[in-house]
Amino acid sequence: MPSNISIQRIIGVLLSRLKLIVVATLLGGVLFYCYSYFMITPMYSTSAMFAIQNYSAGTSGSNDNAKKIYGSDLSGSATLASVSMILFQNSDELSAVYSGCGVRLSVEDFFVTVNVTGTDAQLVANVANQVCEKCEDVFKSYYSYGSIRTIRAAKVPGGPFAPDNKHYGTMGLGVGLGISCLISILLELIDTTIKAEDDIQQMYGVPVFAEIPDFENQG
């Protein structure tokens, strides 16, 4: 290939090896997709939620207790939930039920969400529900007031959230396209054969006045 490379020449090289580029691109997409599907362990995720309240509803039989959650006790419940989070995150009794899963507790106002991730769909659901139950036990062992109750139990996830096989496949297409284009250009750079009369003039500075046609290949 001549030393003076232009965009037009590069495009011509890529078009001349279009079949190679298409095959390599598709092969890259298939290989990355298969790697994601067969080699990467699927990960599942689910969540449960419980609420912490700064009173024990219904214990006194007074309607005032039932209305506190909508009134002045909102901030008290939120404060109790935030303090309880420190207790939950540092409880060895609670971490014992994690069973190798990734567990993350987050609080918003007086609602605590339990997010669990792992490689087994049934296990992550079981762990999320067990964490809610154990949080209630830990809460009651430290506090003589307040209440905690489950708002939403965890369900078995219908499918994994990772890996994203389509994402891996798309990434493979991009890698295959890039590598095939690079190889095509490199092959042209190291190719010293003369393919057109312009090659002689550009490489050696010798003008071409005539050429002998290849009657055999032209039929």
Side-chain angles (χ1 to χ4, degrees), residues 59 98 177 198:
T59 54
Y98 288 0
L177 177 62
D198 291 342

mmCIF file of all heavy atoms in Angstrom, residues 59 98 177 198:
data_model
loop_
_atom_site.group_PDB
_atom_site.id
_atom_site.type_symbol
_atom_site.label_atom_id
_atom_site.label_comp_id
_atom_site.label_asym_id
_atom_site.label_seq_id
_atom_site.Cartn_x
_atom_site.Cartn_y
_atom_site.Cartn_z
ATOM 1 N N THR A 59 -51.831 -1.051 71.730
ATOM 2 C CA THR A 59 -51.594 -1.670 73.036
ATOM 3 C C THR A 59 -52.439 -1.039 74.135
ATOM 4 O O THR A 59 -52.797 -1.685 75.106
ATOM 5 C CB THR A 59 -50.110 -1.545 73.408
ATOM 6 O OG1 THR A 59 -49.734 -0.161 73.332
ATOM 7 C CG2 THR A 59 -49.256 -2.345 72.451
ATOM 8 N N TYR A 98 -27.123 -14.328 56.621
ATOM 9 C CA TYR A 98 -26.880 -13.869 55.253
ATOM 10 C C TYR A 98 -26.605 -15.018 54.282
ATOM 11 O O TYR A 98 -26.856 -14.893 53.083
ATOM 12 C CB TYR A 98 -25.707 -12.890 55.234
ATOM 13 C CG TYR A 98 -26.017 -11.536 55.841
ATOM 14 C CD1 TYR A 98 -27.281 -11.248 56.353
ATOM 15 C CD2 TYR A 98 -25.048 -10.541 55.915
ATOM 16 C CE1 TYR A 98 -27.568 -10.012 56.918
ATOM 17 C CE2 TYR A 98 -25.327 -9.304 56.474
ATOM 18 C CZ TYR A 98 -26.568 -9.044 56.970
ATOM 19 O OH TYR A 98 -26.849 -7.819 57.526
ATOM 20 N N LEU A 177 -15.831 -5.832 15.144
ATOM 21 C CA LEU A 177 -15.753 -4.836 14.076
ATOM 22 C C LEU A 177 -14.441 -4.072 14.135
ATOM 23 O O LEU A 177 -13.776 -3.875 13.106
ATOM 24 C CB LEU A 177 -16.936 -3.874 14.197
ATOM 25 C CG LEU A 177 -16.973 -2.707 13.199
ATOM 26 C CD1 LEU A 177 -17.070 -3.226 11.775
ATOM 27 C CD2 LEU A 177 -18.136 -1.769 13.513
ATOM 28 N N ASP A 198 -1.773 3.556 -10.462
ATOM 29 C CA ASP A 198 -1.467 4.650 -9.535
ATOM 30 C C ASP A 198 -0.439 4.232 -8.505
ATOM 31 O O ASP A 198 0.313 5.069 -7.995
ATOM 32 C CB ASP A 198 -2.746 5.119 -8.841
ATOM 33 C CG ASP A 198 -3.692 5.823 -9.814
ATOM 34 O OD1 ASP A 198 -3.217 6.231 -10.878
ATOM 35 O OD2 ASP A 198 -4.897 5.931 -9.492
#
